[in-house]
Amino acid sequence: MTVSAAAFTNPPNTAPRPPGPAALKPVVGLIDGNARHGAEIADALSQFYNVQRYTDGREAMVAMIARPPAVLIIDENALPGNGREVLGLIRMAPSLAAIPIICKMEDPESSFAADTRKSEHSTVLRKPFKRSQLLAAISGHVNKAIESAWTE
């Protein structure tokens, strides 16, 4: 017995299904130089956000051009090079420059922190930080974007 491909399509008048829960969550991008720490952050955020982990800044740039996140988290040890170099690459790309960025680092007085603060839509988090601090930073950026869309 042969089954045709048409057997797997919806009938013409069938309403589309609503998106699943993950589709309704804002996307948060994460570039972390430490795989274990990145997994811990992704797990901590997964209840509220659809976390997209990237292995390095180059992979992130390609993926974010196709599907920009609501917020991007960059660790100071992100590859290639370090978080400051990754931040520079992202800020040079016109289609990515407006993405709010949360940079996490041990020294909030570093050159990475100074570069982060040059943008009005960036946040510096000093490591170690509490989950609630990260959630507050992300939700602040997401809410600001929603509120600005109301005034447009």
Side-chain angles (χ1 to χ4, degrees), residues 32-81:
D32 200 305
N34 181 315
R36 184 182 60 78
H37 194 245
E40 289 172 3
I41 289 176
D43 186 53
L45 298 177
S46 65
Q47 179 181 356
F48 305 103
Y49 301 101
N50 181 359
V51 180
Q52 179 62 56
R53 292 179 60 198
Y54 308 109
T55 56
D56 62 45
R58 288 188 202 113
E59 176 194 0
M61 289 188 68
V62 171
M64 290 187 310
I65 287 170
R67 184 178 181 204
V71 178
L72 176 64
I73 303 167
I74 303 175
D75 184 77
E76 65 188 338
N77 298 314
L79 298 173

Short mmCIF file of all heavy atoms in Angstrom, two decimals, residues 32-81:
data_model
loop_
_atom_site.label_atom_id
_atom_site.label_comp_id
_atom_site.label_asym_id
_atom_site.label_seq_id
_atom_site.Cartn_x
_atom_site.Cartn_y
_atom_site.Cartn_z
N ASP A 32 28.13 32.66 25.21
CA ASP A 32 28.87 32.48 26.45
C ASP A 32 30.13 31.69 26.17
O ASP A 32 30.09 30.70 25.46
CB ASP A 32 27.98 31.74 27.47
CG ASP A 32 28.46 31.94 28.89
OD1 ASP A 32 29.65 31.65 29.17
OD2 ASP A 32 27.67 32.40 29.72
N GLY A 33 31.24 32.12 26.75
CA GLY A 33 32.52 31.43 26.55
C GLY A 33 32.65 30.16 27.36
O GLY A 33 33.55 29.37 27.15
N ASN A 34 31.74 29.93 28.29
CA ASN A 34 31.77 28.75 29.15
C ASN A 34 30.49 27.95 28.89
O ASN A 34 29.40 28.39 29.24
CB ASN A 34 31.86 29.20 30.61
CG ASN A 34 31.93 28.05 31.59
OD1 ASN A 34 31.19 27.07 31.48
ND2 ASN A 34 32.82 28.16 32.54
N ALA A 35 30.63 26.78 28.29
CA ALA A 35 29.47 25.97 27.91
C ALA A 35 28.60 25.61 29.11
O ALA A 35 27.37 25.67 29.04
CB ALA A 35 29.92 24.70 27.19
N ARG A 36 29.20 25.25 30.25
CA ARG A 36 28.44 24.89 31.43
C ARG A 36 27.65 26.07 31.96
O ARG A 36 26.46 25.97 32.26
CB ARG A 36 29.37 24.35 32.52
CG ARG A 36 28.62 23.86 33.77
CD ARG A 36 29.57 23.37 34.87
NE ARG A 36 30.50 24.38 35.34
CZ ARG A 36 30.17 25.37 36.19
NH1 ARG A 36 28.95 25.49 36.64
NH2 ARG A 36 31.09 26.23 36.59
N HIS A 37 28.30 27.22 32.04
CA HIS A 37 27.62 28.42 32.53
C HIS A 37 26.51 28.83 31.56
O HIS A 37 25.43 29.24 31.98
CB HIS A 37 28.63 29.55 32.74
CG HIS A 37 28.08 30.68 33.53
ND1 HIS A 37 27.91 31.94 33.01
CD2 HIS A 37 27.64 30.74 34.81
CE1 HIS A 37 27.38 32.73 33.92
NE2 HIS A 37 27.21 32.03 35.03
N GLY A 38 26.77 28.72 30.28
CA GLY A 38 25.74 29.04 29.28
C GLY A 38 24.53 28.14 29.42
O GLY A 38 23.38 28.59 29.31
N ALA A 39 24.77 26.85 29.69
CA ALA A 39 23.66 25.92 29.87
C ALA A 39 22.86 26.26 31.12
O ALA A 39 21.62 26.17 31.13
CB ALA A 39 24.19 24.48 29.96
N GLU A 40 23.55 26.68 32.19
CA GLU A 40 22.86 27.06 33.42
C GLU A 40 21.98 28.29 33.19
O GLU A 40 20.85 28.35 33.67
CB GLU A 40 23.87 27.35 34.53
CG GLU A 40 24.56 26.11 35.05
CD GLU A 40 25.70 26.42 36.01
OE1 GLU A 40 25.93 27.61 36.34
OE2 GLU A 40 26.37 25.47 36.44
N ILE A 41 22.50 29.26 32.45
CA ILE A 41 21.72 30.47 32.17
C ILE A 41 20.52 30.13 31.30
O ILE A 41 19.40 30.57 31.57
CB ILE A 41 22.60 31.56 31.52
CG1 ILE A 41 23.56 32.11 32.56
CG2 ILE A 41 21.75 32.67 30.92
CD1 ILE A 41 24.54 33.12 32.02
N ALA A 42 20.74 29.34 30.26
CA ALA A 42 19.64 28.95 29.38
C ALA A 42 18.56 28.23 30.17
O ALA A 42 17.36 28.49 29.98
CB ALA A 42 20.15 28.08 28.24
N ASP A 43 18.95 27.34 31.07
CA ASP A 43 17.98 26.61 31.88
C ASP A 43 17.22 27.55 32.81
O ASP A 43 16.00 27.44 32.95
CB ASP A 43 18.70 25.53 32.71
CG ASP A 43 17.73 24.65 33.47
OD1 ASP A 43 16.81 24.09 32.84
OD2 ASP A 43 17.90 24.53 34.70
N ALA A 44 17.92 28.52 33.40
CA ALA A 44 17.28 29.47 34.32
C ALA A 44 16.28 30.37 33.60
O ALA A 44 15.30 30.81 34.20
CB ALA A 44 18.35 30.32 35.01
N LEU A 45 16.51 30.64 32.33
CA LEU A 45 15.64 31.55 31.57
C LEU A 45 14.53 30.84 30.80
O LEU A 45 13.58 31.49 30.36
CB LEU A 45 16.48 32.36 30.58
CG LEU A 45 17.54 33.28 31.16
CD1 LEU A 45 18.33 33.94 30.03
CD2 LEU A 45 16.93 34.31 32.09
N SER A 46 14.64 29.54 30.64
CA SER A 46 13.74 28.83 29.73
C SER A 46 12.26 28.88 30.12
O SER A 46 11.40 28.71 29.27
CB SER A 46 14.18 27.37 29.58
OG SER A 46 14.06 26.70 30.83
N GLN A 47 11.97 29.14 31.37
CA GLN A 47 10.57 29.24 31.79
C GLN A 47 9.89 30.46 31.17
O GLN A 47 8.71 30.45 30.86
CB GLN A 47 10.48 29.31 33.31
CG GLN A 47 9.06 29.43 33.83
CD GLN A 47 9.03 29.51 35.35
OE1 GLN A 47 10.04 29.41 36.03
NE2 GLN A 47 7.84 29.71 35.89
N PHE A 48 10.66 31.52 30.96
CA PHE A 48 10.10 32.79 30.49
C PHE A 48 10.50 33.17 29.07
O PHE A 48 9.83 33.97 28.43
CB PHE A 48 10.54 33.93 31.42
CG PHE A 48 10.20 33.68 32.86
CD1 PHE A 48 11.17 33.29 33.75
CD2 PHE A 48 8.89 33.81 33.31
CE1 PHE A 48 10.87 33.06 35.09
CE2 PHE A 48 8.57 33.58 34.63
CZ PHE A 48 9.56 33.20 35.53
N TYR A 49 11.61 32.62 28.59
CA TYR A 49 12.16 33.03 27.30
C TYR A 49 12.55 31.82 26.46
O TYR A 49 12.88 30.77 26.98
CB TYR A 49 13.38 33.93 27.49
CG TYR A 49 13.06 35.17 28.28
CD1 TYR A 49 13.38 35.26 29.63
CD2 TYR A 49 12.39 36.23 27.69
CE1 TYR A 49 13.05 36.39 30.37
CE2 TYR A 49 12.06 37.37 28.42
CZ TYR A 49 12.40 37.43 29.76
OH TYR A 49 12.06 38.55 30.48
N ASN A 50 12.53 32.01 25.16
CA ASN A 50 13.04 31.03 24.22
C ASN A 50 14.51 31.38 24.03
O ASN A 50 14.83 32.34 23.33
CB ASN A 50 12.25 31.12 22.91
CG ASN A 50 12.70 30.12 21.89
OD1 ASN A 50 13.63 29.33 22.12
ND2 ASN A 50 12.06 30.14 20.75
N VAL A 51 15.40 30.64 24.66
CA VAL A 51 16.83 30.96 24.65
C VAL A 51 17.51 30.30 23.46
O VAL A 51 17.42 29.09 23.27
CB VAL A 51 17.52 30.52 25.96
CG1 VAL A 51 19.00 30.88 25.93
CG2 VAL A 51 16.83 31.17 27.16
N GLN A 52 18.18 31.12 22.66
CA GLN A 52 18.94 30.64 21.52
C GLN A 52 20.42 30.77 21.86
O GLN A 52 20.93 31.88 21.95
CB GLN A 52 18.60 31.45 20.26
CG GLN A 52 19.36 31.04 19.04
CD GLN A 52 19.08 29.62 18.62
OE1 GLN A 52 17.95 29.25 18.41
NE2 GLN A 52 20.11 28.82 18.50
N ARG A 53 21.08 29.63 22.07
CA ARG A 53 22.51 29.66 22.42
C ARG A 53 23.34 29.62 21.14
O ARG A 53 23.03 28.88 20.21
CB ARG A 53 22.85 28.47 23.30
CG ARG A 53 22.20 28.59 24.68
CD ARG A 53 22.51 27.40 25.55
NE ARG A 53 23.95 27.27 25.75
CZ ARG A 53 24.52 26.16 26.17
NH1 ARG A 53 23.80 25.09 26.43
NH2 ARG A 53 25.83 26.10 26.33
N TYR A 54 24.40 30.42 21.14
CA TYR A 54 25.34 30.46 20.02
C TYR A 54 26.72 30.08 20.54
O TYR A 54 27.10 30.48 21.64
CB TYR A 54 25.40 31.86 19.40
CG TYR A 54 24.04 32.43 19.05
CD1 TYR A 54 23.50 33.49 19.78
CD2 TYR A 54 23.30 31.92 18.00
CE1 TYR A 54 22.28 34.03 19.46
CE2 TYR A 54 22.06 32.46 17.68
CZ TYR A 54 21.55 33.51 18.41
OH TYR A 54 20.33 34.04 18.10
N THR A 55 27.48 29.34 19.73
CA THR A 55 28.81 28.93 20.17
C THR A 55 29.81 30.08 20.11
O THR A 55 30.77 30.10 20.87
CB THR A 55 29.34 27.76 19.32
OG1 THR A 55 29.32 28.14 17.94
CG2 THR A 55 28.50 26.51 19.53
N ASP A 56 29.59 31.01 19.19
CA ASP A 56 30.48 32.17 19.10
C ASP A 56 29.79 33.32 18.39
O ASP A 56 28.67 33.19 17.90
CB ASP A 56 31.80 31.81 18.39
CG ASP A 56 31.61 31.35 16.95
OD1 ASP A 56 30.85 31.99 16.21
OD2 ASP A 56 32.24 30.36 16.57
N GLY A 57 30.47 34.46 18.35
CA GLY A 57 29.89 35.66 17.76
C GLY A 57 29.59 35.55 16.28
O GLY A 57 28.61 36.12 15.80
N ARG A 58 30.42 34.82 15.55
CA ARG A 58 30.17 34.68 14.11
C ARG A 58 28.89 33.90 13.84
O ARG A 58 28.08 34.30 13.01
CB ARG A 58 31.37 34.00 13.44
CG ARG A 58 32.58 34.89 13.36
CD ARG A 58 33.67 34.24 12.52
NE ARG A 58 34.94 34.84 12.89
CZ ARG A 58 35.92 34.20 13.50
NH1 ARG A 58 35.80 32.93 13.80
NH2 ARG A 58 37.03 34.82 13.81
N GLU A 59 28.72 32.79 14.55
CA GLU A 59 27.50 32.00 14.41
C GLU A 59 26.28 32.85 14.80
O GLU A 59 25.25 32.82 14.14
CB GLU A 59 27.55 30.76 15.29
CG GLU A 59 26.26 29.96 15.25
CD GLU A 59 26.14 28.91 16.34
OE1 GLU A 59 27.06 28.77 17.17
OE2 GLU A 59 25.10 28.24 16.36
N ALA A 60 26.44 33.61 15.87
CA ALA A 60 25.35 34.47 16.35
C ALA A 60 24.95 35.48 15.30
O ALA A 60 23.76 35.70 15.06
CB ALA A 60 25.75 35.17 17.64
N MET A 61 25.91 36.12 14.67
CA MET A 61 25.60 37.14 13.67
C MET A 61 24.79 36.57 12.51
O MET A 61 23.80 37.17 12.09
CB MET A 61 26.87 37.81 13.16
CG MET A 61 27.49 38.71 14.22
SD MET A 61 28.85 39.68 13.60
CE MET A 61 28.02 40.79 12.49
N VAL A 62 25.18 35.43 12.02
CA VAL A 62 24.46 34.81 10.90
C VAL A 62 23.04 34.47 11.33
O VAL A 62 22.07 34.78 10.63
CB VAL A 62 25.21 33.54 10.42
CG1 VAL A 62 24.37 32.76 9.43
CG2 VAL A 62 26.55 33.92 9.82
N ALA A 63 22.90 33.86 12.50
CA ALA A 63 21.57 33.46 12.97
C ALA A 63 20.69 34.67 13.30
O ALA A 63 19.50 34.67 13.01
CB ALA A 63 21.71 32.57 14.20
N MET A 64 21.29 35.71 13.87
CA MET A 64 20.50 36.87 14.28
C MET A 64 20.03 37.72 13.10
O MET A 64 19.01 38.40 13.20
CB MET A 64 21.28 37.73 15.27
CG MET A 64 21.44 37.05 16.62
SD MET A 64 22.19 38.09 17.90
CE MET A 64 23.64 38.75 17.12
N ILE A 65 20.76 37.69 12.00
CA ILE A 65 20.30 38.41 10.81
C ILE A 65 19.00 37.76 10.32
O ILE A 65 18.07 38.44 9.93
CB ILE A 65 21.40 38.43 9.73
CG1 ILE A 65 22.50 39.40 10.16
CG2 ILE A 65 20.82 38.82 8.37
CD1 ILE A 65 23.75 39.35 9.30
N ALA A 66 18.94 36.42 10.39
CA ALA A 66 17.73 35.71 9.97
C ALA A 66 16.60 35.86 10.98
O ALA A 66 15.45 35.98 10.61
CB ALA A 66 18.06 34.23 9.76
N ARG A 67 16.94 35.82 12.27
CA ARG A 67 15.93 35.90 13.33
C ARG A 67 16.52 36.66 14.53
O ARG A 67 17.09 36.06 15.43
CB ARG A 67 15.50 34.51 13.76
CG ARG A 67 14.39 34.52 14.78
CD ARG A 67 13.95 33.11 15.15
NE ARG A 67 12.86 33.18 16.11
CZ ARG A 67 12.57 32.22 16.94
NH1 ARG A 67 13.25 31.10 16.92
NH2 ARG A 67 11.57 32.35 17.79
N PRO A 68 16.37 37.98 14.53
CA PRO A 68 16.96 38.76 15.62
C PRO A 68 16.28 38.47 16.96
O PRO A 68 15.05 38.36 17.02
CB PRO A 68 16.71 40.22 15.22
CG PRO A 68 16.12 40.19 13.88
CD PRO A 68 15.72 38.80 13.55
N PRO A 69 17.07 38.33 18.03
CA PRO A 69 16.47 38.13 19.34
C PRO A 69 15.94 39.44 19.91
O PRO A 69 16.32 40.53 19.45
CB PRO A 69 17.65 37.62 20.18
CG PRO A 69 18.84 38.26 19.55
CD PRO A 69 18.53 38.31 18.07
N ALA A 70 15.09 39.33 20.91
CA ALA A 70 14.59 40.53 21.60
C ALA A 70 15.72 41.14 22.41
O ALA A 70 15.80 42.37 22.56
CB ALA A 70 13.42 40.17 22.50
N VAL A 71 16.60 40.30 22.93
CA VAL A 71 17.74 40.72 23.75
C VAL A 71 18.87 39.73 23.50
O VAL A 71 18.62 38.55 23.28
CB VAL A 71 17.39 40.71 25.26
CG1 VAL A 71 18.57 41.09 26.12
CG2 VAL A 71 16.21 41.62 25.56
N LEU A 72 20.11 40.22 23.58
CA LEU A 72 21.29 39.37 23.42
C LEU A 72 22.15 39.49 24.67
O LEU A 72 22.42 40.59 25.13
CB LEU A 72 22.10 39.79 22.19
CG LEU A 72 23.42 39.04 21.97
CD1 LEU A 72 23.16 37.56 21.69
CD2 LEU A 72 24.19 39.67 20.82
N ILE A 73 22.57 38.34 25.20
CA ILE A 73 23.47 38.30 26.34
C ILE A 73 24.84 37.89 25.83
O ILE A 73 24.98 36.87 25.14
CB ILE A 73 23.00 37.28 27.40
CG1 ILE A 73 21.58 37.62 27.87
CG2 ILE A 73 23.97 37.24 28.58
CD1 ILE A 73 20.93 36.51 28.67
N ILE A 74 25.86 38.68 26.17
CA ILE A 74 27.23 38.39 25.75
C ILE A 74 28.11 38.28 27.00
O ILE A 74 28.13 39.19 27.83
CB ILE A 74 27.81 39.49 24.84
CG1 ILE A 74 26.94 39.71 23.62
CG2 ILE A 74 29.25 39.14 24.42
CD1 ILE A 74 27.40 40.88 22.75
N ASP A 75 28.85 37.18 27.10
CA ASP A 75 29.80 37.00 28.20
C ASP A 75 31.13 37.61 27.81
O ASP A 75 31.49 37.65 26.63
CB ASP A 75 29.97 35.51 28.50
CG ASP A 75 30.87 35.28 29.69
OD1 ASP A 75 30.39 35.47 30.83
OD2 ASP A 75 32.05 34.91 29.49
N GLU A 76 31.89 38.06 28.81
CA GLU A 76 33.19 38.66 28.54
C GLU A 76 34.15 37.69 27.87
O GLU A 76 35.10 38.11 27.22
CB GLU A 76 33.80 39.19 29.83
CG GLU A 76 34.14 38.14 30.86
CD GLU A 76 34.56 38.70 32.19
OE1 GLU A 76 35.00 39.87 32.24
OE2 GLU A 76 34.44 37.99 33.20
N ASN A 77 33.93 36.38 28.01
CA ASN A 77 34.80 35.37 27.42
C ASN A 77 34.23 34.79 26.13
O ASN A 77 34.66 33.73 25.68
CB ASN A 77 35.05 34.25 28.43
CG ASN A 77 35.75 34.77 29.65
OD1 ASN A 77 36.72 35.51 29.56
ND2 ASN A 77 35.26 34.40 30.82
N ALA A 78 33.26 35.47 25.54
CA ALA A 78 32.67 34.98 24.29
C ALA A 78 33.73 34.93 23.19
O ALA A 78 34.64 35.75 23.14
CB ALA A 78 31.53 35.90 23.87
N LEU A 79 33.57 33.94 22.33
CA LEU A 79 34.48 33.79 21.20
C LEU A 79 33.89 34.43 19.96
O LEU A 79 32.68 34.60 19.89
CB LEU A 79 34.72 32.29 20.96
CG LEU A 79 35.38 31.55 22.12
CD1 LEU A 79 35.41 30.07 21.82
CD2 LEU A 79 36.77 32.08 22.40
N PRO A 80 34.63 34.78 18.95
CA PRO A 80 36.09 34.73 18.88
C PRO A 80 36.71 35.91 19.61
O PRO A 80 36.14 36.99 19.66
CB PRO A 80 36.38 34.81 17.38
CG PRO A 80 35.24 35.59 16.81
CD PRO A 80 34.05 35.26 17.69
N GLY A 81 37.83 35.69 20.18
CA GLY A 81 38.55 36.75 20.90
C GLY A 81 38.02 36.90 22.31
O GLY A 81 38.40 36.18 23.21
#
